[in-house]
Each structure stands twice: as C-alpha cells, then as structure tokens.
C-alpha cells in the first residue's frame, strides 16, 4: 500500500485493505512499528508520518474442540465481540458444527 492509503485509517482498516492484497484475513495480521517494539492496535488512527511498518502473518491456532465450539456458539447467538476475540487468537473461521456447516453460516 502507498503511504496515502494509511492516512486517517485505523489499524483495522489498513488490515482490511491488506487482506485484499495478500489473501489473509485481518485476524491473522499484526502490524508493528518496524523495530517490533509496538503493535499497532486495530483502533489506532494512522497518519502520513513516514514510518515503516512490519506486517506479521500468524498461523491459525491448532484445532481445539472447546474453542471451536465457542466460535459456533458466538456466531449462532450473534455475539460479535466474542466471535471477534476468538478470531483474533487467530482461530479458523472454517470450523464445522455438528451439522457440517461453518460457524459463519449461523
């Protein structure tokens, strides 16, 4: 992305733009200042200051029956906060429920 693509955008918005470019959801992305000393939070608004940012892509956590069930339940009950917290671990959104449907189908 170009520097002007960052200006006035939140960390979350930058990750969403990057997701389209790199094919990895924002939940698997972490943005750090180049030296790695500071993770840029999703709600931080970025400016045009010439700062190098490091992008780290995380693998999904290994499957875990309890956490996978929590994703399904959060999706089923439209609990956006719980669902987002689980996906940020990052857990795969493609876990299947007992009917063979992904959590996000709920």
């Amino acid at each position: 992305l170009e520097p002007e693509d960052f200006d006035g955008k939140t960390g979350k918005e930058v990750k969403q733009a990057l997701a389209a470019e790199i094919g990895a959801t924002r939940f698997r992305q972490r943005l750090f200042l180049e030296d790695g000393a500071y993770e840029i939070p999703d709600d931080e608004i970025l400016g045009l200051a010439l700062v190098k940012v490091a992008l780290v892509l995380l693998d999904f956590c290994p499957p875990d029956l309890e956490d996978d069930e929590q994703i399904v339940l959060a999706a089923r009950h439209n609990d956006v906060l719980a669902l987002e917290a689980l996906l940020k671990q990052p857990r795969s959104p493609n876990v299947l429920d007992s009917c063979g449907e992904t959590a996000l189908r709920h």
Side-chain angles (χ1 to χ4, degrees):
L1 298 174
E2 298 299 321
E4 56 271 6
D5 294 331
F6 290 82
D7 187 35
K9 301 283 195 300
T10 63
K12 180 179 177 179
E13 291 170 323
V14 171
K15 289 177 184 177
Q16 288 169 327
L18 286 168
E21 296 285 325
I22 64 174
T25 71
R26 70 179 175 87
F27 299 109
R28 291 184 51 215
Q29 300 175 39
R30 300 296 183 270
L31 296 175
F32 291 88
L33 293 183
E34 182 181 34
D35 64 3
Y38 176 72
E39 182 177 354
I40 300 169
D42 281 352
D43 61 352
E44 185 167 318
I45 298 173
L46 304 170
L48 267 180
L50 294 178
V51 176
K52 290 190 177 182
V53 175
L55 170 65
V56 176
L57 287 178
L58 304 176
D59 290 329
F60 287 124
C61 295
D64 177 274
L65 228 53
E66 187 176 316
D67 286 337
D68 292 348
E69 180 64 23
Q70 291 302 314
I71 290 176
V72 171
L73 290 173
R76 185 176 293 146
H77 297 291
N78 201 27
D79 187 345
V80 176
L81 294 176
L83 187 58
E84 182 144 341
L86 288 160
L87 292 172
K88 280 183 178 179
Q89 290 181 5
R91 303 220 64 84
S92 173
N94 298 319
V95 297
L96 300 177
D97 66 8
S98 59
C99 297
E101 293 187 347
T102 64
L104 301 181
R105 291 277 312 207
H106 294 276

